Amino acid sequence: MASIQTTATSPFEGQKPGTSGLRKRVKVFQQKNYTENFVQAILEAIPTGAEGASLVVGGDGRYYLDEVLQVIVRFSAGAKVSKLIVGRDGILSTPAASHLIRKEKATGGILLTASHNPGGPENDFGIKYNMSNGGPAPESVTDRIYEITKTLRELRWVDVPNIDFSKTGTHTVGTMTVQVIDGVDDYVDYMKTVFDFDAIRTFLHANNGGFKVLFDGMNGVTGPYGKRIFLEELGLPDSSVMRCIPLQDFGGAHPDPNLTYAHDLVERVDKENYDFGAASDGDGDRNMIIGKNAFVTPSDSVAIIAHYANTLPYFKKNGVHGLARSMPTSQALDLVAKKQGLEFFEVPTGWKFFGNLMDAGRCSICGEESFGTGSDHVREKDGLWAILAWLSILAHVNVTQPGTGVQDVLQAHYKVYGRNFFSRYDYEEVDGKTAEEMVLRLREFIATDALVGKSYDGFVVAKADDFSYLDPIDQSVSNNQGVRIIFEDGSRIVIRLSGTGSQGATVRLYVEKYTENVSEYANDTQKALKPLIDVALEISQLVKYTGREEPTVIT
């Protein structure tokens, strides 16, 4: 039996995990003992202790994954972990990991991903811990991890040969078992209970397969899942998938499913006459839905899924117990909740807030404007789940209304609920100091009520605040979650700073305008919002503080 080794170490500054774990440049993780320190801190912070624990481990296939897998094996053995369940080649999407944690009743999971951030030697890597419910660790645990990293002086590990993760099978490391599994099997089997694959298959193969689908794996983790689902399970031709081989650098692209970074998909859907296009991100928790002359905003997507929820097998069996969205997300979902008499929640950005509500049985479907959609089937957002939900909705509607496409579903929804025009402007890697000064200036306006009652090109400010949230489940309070400027006609401007990138800060500007005027439903989003965007730039003085005339990404 291999003995536990000890090595002296020193703390590293800044190993503070956020909602999505610790994300840094690969070169930072490659520093001597940097990764080892953080992995040991995770193990020491497990609430029930690492000794005897079972952990699910996997990631999105990005550069440096292989090396970190071996670190986790050695340090888990040193912490007397009982069992590791690892995806073959380390491949395990974030929602699949959440499902596996719950299915195996594991203590938790270590996920190796920086989500939608670019990969490769010069780009990002990430490590995060998920709890036994399959969801991201709460602040009490991430704070504990951080405190441990600040005082760590000794590493404990077991010196063992590297494990071959390319083959399924079981390995013994001291008293610990390492089980290498096919990370796709369990997830696909689960999806077949959540959705009616027969109904989707029948729809897709009607009229000699007249409804053309294109799925873009963006060379991230969902490639193998997509090939299994769309080609093998649903019987679609090879031309129905693209970029479905996981690559360490995602093919040099940015694995973020939006109109900017998934432009190859958008162009092919347009030029090659596809009826439905979809993409998922690096670790599989985000999604984008498009169709012929149609882009579905994530805000509209979650609202439409909620509207049709009772047509899906999972919700027929389990019911719909509430709806929730992140604060910056448009208010389209609120309207569905109101019409259907469902409990509704507006929460800060971060999937853990949805998880609390789900565990309490008060939320079944939720979403974020940042292309994250999900339900209580797992405790992470789930890109492929959202894509399958849309195909299920199209299959359902086409039974009585043959020929219905994505744009038709959108327009039908607007006729029932009205339309929330919504867009997000991202200004990436701006100077953090001046961006913070911009937000502080707005907070001063809020504190003195300087904006309320003012008119900007016809938009009269009714309310301005910095969003705070009292969690109804654990009574925790989250303050300073985003500056909101709400106008008398219900239009909104939201400004948030995000620090999940590894370099600089990202300013996110959200604008939303509601209309019940049927003649406006088909209007272009950017044209409809132009007057409000101009007002947002005037109030925020964003160009002055960031030096940016144009956003990096518009969604």
Side-chain angles (χ1 to χ4, degrees):
M1 173 180 163
S3 60
I4 295 175
Q5 311 286 316
T6 60
T7 304
T9 190
S10 298
F12 289 87
E13 289 188 7
Q15 288 194 320
K16 182 176 176 61
T19 300
S20 302
L22 182 70
R23 295 181 187 172
K24 302 285 184 183
R25 292 295 200 211
V26 167
K27 291 184 184 300
V28 174
F29 276 101
Q30 287 176 325
Q31 296 175 86
K32 183 178 179 181
N33 289 344
Y34 188 93
T35 297
E36 289 81 352
N37 277 23
F38 192 69
V39 169
Q40 182 160 310
I42 288 175
L43 293 166
E44 289 187 18
I46 294 173
T48 55
E51 185 170 355
S54 60
L55 300 173
V56 170
V57 181
D60 57 16
R62 69 178 56 236
Y63 184 84
Y64 203 51
L65 174 73
D66 297 341
E67 292 87 343
V68 179
L69 284 174
Q70 305 299 341
V71 170
I72 290 171
V73 170
R74 295 196 296 271
F75 278 72
S76 294
K80 300 181 180 179
V81 168
S82 174
K83 184 177 183 180
L84 297 180
I85 303 170
V86 187
R88 183 170 57 197
D89 293 320
I91 293 294
L92 201 60
S93 77
T94 293
S98 179
H99 168 59
L100 200 57
I101 291 168
R102 295 168 65 81
K103 175 177 176 283
E104 298 292 334
K105 294 181 170 56
T107 308
I110 301 177
L111 280 60
L112 306 177
T113 175
S115 189
H116 55 288
N117 292 6
E122 304 300 320
N123 288 306
D124 291 1
F125 192 78
I127 305 176
K128 77 168 185 171
Y129 183 72
N130 277 30
M131 305 294 284
S132 60
N133 72 340
E139 284 186 20
S140 60
V141 175
T142 57
D143 286 349
R144 174 68 179 144
I145 293 170
Y146 181 46
E147 290 305 313
I148 293 169
T149 68
K150 293 193 290 187
T151 59
L152 202 57
R153 296 292 175 184
E154 184 180 80
L155 298 174
R156 296 181 301 280
W157 51 286
V158 172
D159 188 12
V160 294
N162 284 355
I163 286 179
D164 181 2
F165 287 107
S166 68
K167 300 173 183 176
T168 59
T170 302
H171 306 262
T172 300
V173 179
T175 60
M176 182 176 72
T177 300
V178 180
Q179 183 182 3
V180 183
I181 64 162
D182 184 318
V184 177
D185 287 343
D186 285 302
Y187 178 82
V188 173
D189 287 345
Y190 187 37
M191 287 300 102
K192 289 162 74 173
T193 70
V194 173
F195 299 104
D196 185 344
F197 272 47
D198 288 338
I200 298 172
R201 193 183 301 109
T202 298
F203 162 61
L204 293 176
H205 289 275
N207 302 316
N208 295 315
F211 191 88
K212 291 176 61 181
V213 170
L214 182 58
F215 170 72
D216 184 359
M218 302 194 81
N219 292 128
V221 75
T222 53
Y225 297 83
K227 289 173 75 173
R228 176 79 66 85
I229 290 170
F230 298 111
L231 305 188
E232 296 182 30
E233 297 292 341
L234 297 176
L236 295 178
D238 290 348
S239 58
S240 299
V241 299
M242 62 183 282
R243 296 196 294 187
C244 276
I245 298 174
L247 298 176
Q248 290 189 335
D249 65 348
F250 306 108
H254 194 144
D256 194 357
N258 57 47
L259 295 174
T260 299
Y261 295 126
H263 58 86
D264 289 351
L265 169 72
V266 175
E267 290 175 6
R268 285 194 60 188
V269 167
D270 180 42
K271 293 179 181 178
E272 299 175 35
N273 205 31
Y274 282 93
D275 298 283
F276 180 87
S280 189
D281 70 329
D283 70 323
D285 63 354
R286 298 187 181 204
N287 75 93
M288 180 178 73
I289 306 293
I290 60 175
K292 283 184 179 177
N293 303 311
F295 164 63
V296 184
T297 70
S299 300
D300 282 348
S301 182
V302 68
I304 289 168
I305 291 172
H307 173 76
Y308 285 101
N310 288 322
T311 69
L312 305 176
Y314 179 85
F315 297 112
K316 285 181 181 178
K317 177 182 177 182
N318 299 297
V320 178
H321 305 295
L323 306 176
R325 64 167 173 82
S326 64
M327 180 274 288
T329 303
S330 96
Q331 298 165 100
L333 187 63
D334 312 32
L335 300 173
V336 177
K338 183 178 179 180
K339 190 174 186 65
Q340 297 190 0
L342 294 169
E343 190 173 21
F344 173 78
F345 300 91
E346 181 181 33
V347 307
T349 298
W351 211 256
K352 62 185 178 183
F353 298 104
F354 296 130
N356 278 357
L357 295 168
M358 289 175 180
D359 286 344
R362 295 177 68 180
C363 175
S364 297
I365 298 172
C366 54
E368 296 178 334
E369 48 67 39
S370 52
F371 295 86
T373 323
S375 85
D376 58 355
H377 71 289
V378 293
R379 293 298 182 270
E380 291 275 8
K381 49 199 171 209
D382 189 345
L384 280 169
W385 174 88
I387 294 165
L388 287 167
W390 264 89
L391 288 175
S392 299
I393 290 165
L394 287 163
H396 170 78
V397 175
N398 270 271
V399 171
T400 55
Q401 301 171 53
T404 296
V406 174
Q407 183 65 258
D408 301 311
V409 171
L410 284 171
Q411 294 303 320
H413 187 83
Y414 301 152
K415 287 175 183 176
V416 175
Y417 296 99
R419 182 172 183 184
N420 296 75
F421 285 101
F422 178 86
S423 189
R424 183 180 102 188
Y425 281 29
D426 285 3
Y427 299 79
E428 296 178 350
E429 298 190 1
V430 302
D431 182 86
K433 184 174 182 293
T434 55
E436 183 64 30
E437 289 173 358
M438 178 185 71
V439 172
L440 288 174
R441 171 178 168 272
L442 293 172
R443 285 177 178 156
E444 288 175 7
F445 287 162
I446 291 168
T448 58
D449 269 343
L451 293 174
V452 175
K454 281 195 171 183
S455 178
Y456 296 86
D457 290 338
F459 291 96
V460 180
V461 178
K463 178 181 178 181
D465 65 8
D466 200 343
F467 182 65
S468 64
Y469 176 69
L470 172 63
D471 193 304
I473 310 305
D474 63 17
Q475 303 304 306
S476 63
V477 177
S478 301
N479 294 315
N480 301 325
Q481 294 297 305
V483 170
R484 299 190 299 178
I485 300 170
I486 302 169
F487 299 92
E488 289 183 351
D489 67 350
S491 299
R492 295 193 311 163
I493 296 168
V494 175
I495 295 175
R496 292 183 66 247
L497 291 185
S498 173
T500 56
S502 62
Q503 300 290 311
T506 296
V507 176
R508 303 197 196 281
L509 170 64
Y510 311 83
V511 286
E512 176 183 5
K513 183 178 183 294
Y514 177 73
T515 181
E516 291 182 288
N517 185 338
V518 177
S519 67
E520 296 180 0
Y521 291 166
N523 287 357
D524 175 77
T525 297
Q526 296 305 317
K527 289 180 181 177
L529 290 173
K530 179 69 165 60
L532 187 58
I533 291 168
D534 289 342
V535 168
L537 294 175
E538 178 185 350
I539 294 174
S540 67
Q541 294 290 293
L542 191 147
V543 174
K544 171 187 171 183
Y545 282 96
T546 66
R548 301 286 181 86
E549 294 286 342
E550 299 291 337
T552 313
V553 181
I554 299 176
T555 49

